Amino acid sequence: MTDAAHTQETPGRRQGTAPVPLSVLDLATVGTGHTATDALRTSVDLARLAERRGFTRHWVAEHHSMPGIASAAPAVILAHLAARTGRIRLGSGGVMLPNHAPLAVAEQFGTLEALAPGRIDLGLGRAPGTDGLTASALRRGGGDPHADADAFPQQLSELTRFLDDDFPSGHRYHRRVHAVPGPVQGGGGGRPPIWLLGSSGFSARLAGELGLPFAFAHHFSAANTLPALDLYRQSFRPSAALAEPYALIGVAALAADDEQEALRQVCTGALAMLRLRTGRPGLVPTPEEAAEHPFTAVEREYVDRWLGNVVHGTPDAVREGLDALAARTGADELMITANVHTPAARLDSIALIADAYGLPDSGTRPAQAPAEPDAVSSRPDHAASAPGGIGRA
């Protein structure tokens, strides 16, 4: 891939009156009463909707051993989404590199790039995306997850070398081990741009020093957002990938026609997170279950603090909240996520946010996308007659 191609693929395109480009982060959430199949069908609906409304990218997160999330295998999901969309960028938000051999990641994303040329982003994180015991189970021989995380810069360097097929002379892999699909096959094909993900200063500094785009997890680490973004910008060195810093932030946001309905939905995600943080992960609860939950004073404090970082309410209120967040952080892009129970609420929210910013509506799906059952929504602009259940909030 040429230097110009790297630079061109990173920045998003601002649409309508949005202050910055908008994108979507997908956790393939599984709510009570739904299945993983339902959740992944909703992921397809969400990607199609985001594409139709001019969102820049749709990323899928990697999490393991969490009943309420169906995104344990981002590369598999992204291949499925690539076959059912035609323009939107698709990526990992992210692949947790310590869980994987760098060669395996290079070949998975090289395959994705071959399937959807010029549309794939490779977002990388250094956390395991799960608890310590599960992290050990993911590693051959049950290695120490903390030690693997500390080796992240070395793993990143090796992955980059595999993607570019440029191990130096004298390296044991030089001209002997190749990631395929990849440069060794010729043809001048590109490779996915690498993003570093983080919720603290480590990846912020590393992304800056390497001249890579940076994605910060504001949606669950808001207290660290400004320090991390400042560190990234201060550490930034121009590179073949970027001439200037480019940072997006993940934002928990949900819009609904009614303010109370928005609150009702986001409370399901708050209770799910409370259970996860206290060692009781499960399916995302229904709005009724969340409303009736007997919170202790400590639990209520946690939930209120969590909700304070979620932009929710009417479309106008959410637009104002996103505008203020973009201005306060100077983020170059906002990536919206909504870990809530009801699939239709999540789809409605993306449509309402798009409407609030006057984003375009192409009105059609890509011709190559085969028909697939859609999640049922109350809004006519993405309603569908889907057999069976619906899933993923």
Side-chain angles (χ1 to χ4, degrees), residues 270-360:
L271 178 55
M273 182 56 65
L274 171 66
R275 288 172 171 170
L276 177 65
R277 294 296 193 191
T278 53
R280 299 169 293 154
L283 302 178
V284 177
T286 65
E288 292 75 18
E289 184 180 355
E292 296 169 2
H293 183 80
F295 292 99
T296 66
V298 172
E299 289 176 337
R300 173 53 65 186
E301 181 181 359
Y302 176 89
V303 166
D304 288 345
R305 188 167 61 250
W306 178 264
L307 292 175
N309 191 42
V310 180
V311 182
H312 61 89
T314 64
D316 287 344
V318 170
R319 185 190 66 235
E320 291 172 3
L322 294 177
D323 287 348
L325 184 60
R328 187 169 74 251
T329 62
D332 298 295
E333 188 172 327
L334 300 180
M335 181 166 275
I336 296 168
T337 187
N339 184 31
V340 300
H341 172 272
T342 309
R346 192 155 170 245
L347 291 163
D348 286 350
S349 176
I350 291 297
L352 288 168
I353 291 171
D355 289 344
Y357 280 120
L359 269 57

Side-chain angles (χ1 to χ4, degrees), residues 89 115 136 148 154 162 173 180 184 218 279 295 332 372:
R89 295 195 65 81
L115 290 169
S136 295
D148 288 347
Q154 178 183 345
F162 276 126
Y173 296 151
V180 293
V184 70
H218 173 82
F295 292 99
D332 298 295
E372 174 161 329

Side-chain angles (χ1 to χ4, degrees), residues 40-309:
L40 295 172
R41 285 177 176 167
T42 301
S43 291
V44 172
D45 294 331
L46 184 61
R48 286 173 166 172
L49 175 61
E51 176 173 78
R52 200 175 78 230
R53 297 309 305 268
F55 286 73
T56 295
R57 50 191 114 237
H58 180 109
W59 282 5
V60 178
E62 176 186 345
H63 293 288
H64 298 278
S65 194
M66 296 182 186
I69 294 175
S71 60
V76 178
I77 298 173
L78 292 172
H80 185 65
L81 297 180
R84 286 157 177 78
T85 56
R87 298 179 304 276
I88 193 168
R89 295 195 65 81
L90 301 169
S92 53
V95 165
M96 302 296 105
L97 188 53
N99 296 340
H100 310 277
L103 175 59
V105 176
E107 293 194 323
Q108 289 168 6
F109 278 77
T111 302
L112 287 168
E113 180 67 24
L115 290 169
R119 295 177 55 207
I120 303 300
D121 295 323
L122 174 51
L124 300 168
R126 63 188 285 262
T130 188
D131 61 273
L133 183 61
T134 304
S136 295
L138 285 165
R139 293 161 172 78
R140 181 177 296 179
D144 180 1
H146 299 293
D148 288 347
D150 292 340
F152 180 77
Q154 178 183 345
Q155 295 169 329
L156 173 61
S157 176
E158 185 174 300
L159 170 59
T160 304
R161 294 287 189 184
F162 276 126
L163 288 170
D164 293 332
D165 199 36
D166 67 350
F167 283 99
S169 177
H171 193 283
R172 61 177 178 159
Y173 296 151
H174 177 63
R175 294 184 178 177
R176 297 183 64 191
V177 182
H178 308 279
V180 293
V184 70
Q185 296 167 318
R191 61 98 156 154
I194 291 176
W195 291 67
L196 293 194
L197 281 58
S199 57
S200 64
F202 182 93
S203 291
R205 183 187 298 277
L206 184 60
E209 292 174 347
L210 296 177
L212 295 174
F214 179 55
F216 186 79
H218 173 82
H219 54 298
F220 66 79
S221 187
N224 293 324
T225 301
L226 293 180
L229 293 181
D230 287 344
L231 182 58
Y232 169 62
R233 294 166 184 141
Q234 293 165 7
S235 304
F236 187 83
R237 300 172 186 169
S239 69
L242 282 179
E244 298 178 346
Y246 192 89
L248 70 74
I249 59 173
V251 185
L254 186 105
D257 289 317
D258 178 74
E259 182 178 349
Q260 289 304 310
E261 178 59 21
L263 178 60
R264 190 169 167 267
Q265 290 293 334
V266 297
C267 282
T268 67
L271 178 55
M273 182 56 65
L274 171 66
R275 288 172 171 170
L276 177 65
R277 294 296 193 191
T278 53
R280 299 169 293 154
L283 302 178
V284 177
T286 65
E288 292 75 18
E289 184 180 355
E292 296 169 2
H293 183 80
F295 292 99
T296 66
V298 172
E299 289 176 337
R300 173 53 65 186
E301 181 181 359
Y302 176 89
V303 166
D304 288 345
R305 188 167 61 250
W306 178 264
L307 292 175
N309 191 42

